[in-house]
Amino acid sequence: MTDTGLEPTPGAGTGTAGGITGGDADEVRAIAARARSCQGVAGLSGGRFGTVDTYLPGERLTGISVNDRAVEIAIVATTDRPLSETADEVRRAVMDLAGGRRVNVRIDDIVEGP
């Protein structure tokens, strides 16, 4: 695993929504959509043990974990650009949706091509 973000925040990636309720569910979905749309992102990852998740009413959103202090995004990256550029683009793409929280992007896997 390659961590191209900030140091991990205690409680991030715990598999809990960390206070995401009601209208905030749309915000979490938007974070996931923006992360998926970045160049070099093949998809989102639940992590080695499936711990990078947000539980919303009636659904489990894999690859995004949000708590009061941080947003953790676990991605599967492609080989078509440098990994650090991909991670930086994801971080910039979701920063305005993070509500002042730190945005940590981790690369769980790498696949060939776009």
Side-chain angles (χ1 to χ4, degrees):
M1 172 181 76
T2 302
D3 183 354
T4 59
L6 302 171
E7 287 297 313
T9 301
T14 60
T16 63
I20 298 301
T21 58
D24 291 333
D26 289 334
E27 191 171 87
V28 176
R29 287 184 195 102
I31 289 171
R34 283 195 192 174
R36 280 189 211 103
S37 71
C38 290
Q39 181 186 352
V41 175
L44 299 176
S45 169
R48 186 174 188 182
F49 299 105
T51 57
V52 185
D53 292 306
T54 297
Y55 294 92
L56 301 171
E59 75 178 291
R60 175 179 161 192
L61 203 144
T62 299
I64 308 291
S65 181
V66 179
N67 66 32
D68 292 337
R69 295 181 288 173
V71 174
E72 181 173 350
I73 304 169
I75 65 170
V76 176
T78 63
T79 58
D80 64 331
R81 71 187 296 197
L83 299 177
S84 61
E85 287 180 17
T86 299
D88 288 343
E89 181 178 337
V90 171
R91 192 175 297 105
R92 282 190 308 271
V94 305
M95 193 64 73
D96 65 316
L97 296 174
R101 297 175 188 101
R102 289 171 41 159
V103 177
N104 300 316
V105 178
R106 82 181 205 202
I107 298 171
D108 280 352
D109 201 359
I110 303 168
V111 296
E112 283 194 40

